[in-house]
Amino acid sequence: MREFLVAGNWKMNGSAADSEALVSGIVEGAPAVAGYRLLVCPPFTYLASVAGLLTGSNIALGAQNVSQFESGAHTGEIAASMLKDVGCEYVIVGHSERRAMSGESSDIVAAKFLAAQAAGLIPILCVGETLQEREAGTTEKVIDEQLDAVLVAAGIDAFESAVVAYEPVWAIGTGKTAGPAQAQDVHQHIRGRLAAHKPELAEKLQILYGGSMKGDNAPGLLSMADIDGGLIGGASLKANDFLAIAAAAAQS
Ligand code: PGA
């Protein structure tokens, strides 16, 4: 059985005080049951203080981005080793906002995936189509290209310690969610694509859904066979909203 992973992507929101209040609320309210795990991904500047507040809890820490380079003259970038140093276990790579707004190609995303793993972090590889791509019937083609860039660079075995997040771009921050069956179709496709290389690995891989997931739609999404958790933006910014999704995972 795959464990659920419920991950909060705080994006560029909040202050030091807000992050501390948010993480404290999550630590206090998280259902203490087996079978699911929580993860929070605050902005870089709050990682250290959030790490301190997570000590002794079973909640993991992650970052939202990482440099593909190890160290050196890369002004403004953060290396994977630095994230590891501050207590991160996970890092999101290839979020659609970074692909679209920071020009990250699938090759750059693959390099980031490799850099994360080289430092002992678990990359959460985001893939997903835009509305235009869905309407043109190219969803699977787009996702295959995004997955294949990493497969070619890292090999199938690298997915042993990685997570994939299916995030339809048209559902992110829009209030539109993929329906459970619609999301399941893509999750099944992703698992199948990796299973063609190594079935037993694909069976164990966690594939998260992201895009306007909330307490009320989480039970339906999480009940699907290939949906193993969520990558949550908006609803991860209030402890109670995030905990409602955690509760759905804990009960699924
Ligand atoms: P959303 O964001 O939950 O606000 O749609 C999800 C994400 O971008 O990871």
Side-chain angles (χ1 to χ4, degrees), residues 9 11 95 97 167 171-173 211-213 231-234:
N9 173 11
K11 307 194 180 181
H95 190 281
E97 286 155 15
E167 297 211 306
I172 296 179
S212 301
M213 195 190 250
L231 181 54
I232 296 116

Side-chain angles (χ1 to χ4, degrees), residues 60-102:
L61 182 69
Q64 301 171 18
N65 181 31
V66 65
S67 171
Q68 65 269 45
F69 302 109
E70 234 176 84
S71 65
H74 302 286
T75 303
E77 293 293 326
I78 307 281
S81 58
M82 297 170 182
L83 298 178
K84 183 78 183 167
D85 218 16
V86 84
C88 288
E89 271 181 74
Y90 293 84
V91 61
I92 299 168
V93 298
H95 190 281
S96 62
E97 286 155 15
R98 297 210 55 84
R99 291 183 193 259
M101 296 174 199
S102 303

Side-chain angles (χ1 to χ4, degrees), residues 156-161 191 194-195 197-206:
I156 183 68
D157 289 332
F159 283 83
E160 195 79 59
S161 59
R191 200 179 303 287
L194 297 171
H197 295 265
K198 203 164 186 181
E200 66 280 16
L201 183 153
E203 198 44 46
K204 284 190 287 176
L205 179 76
Q206 285 174 319

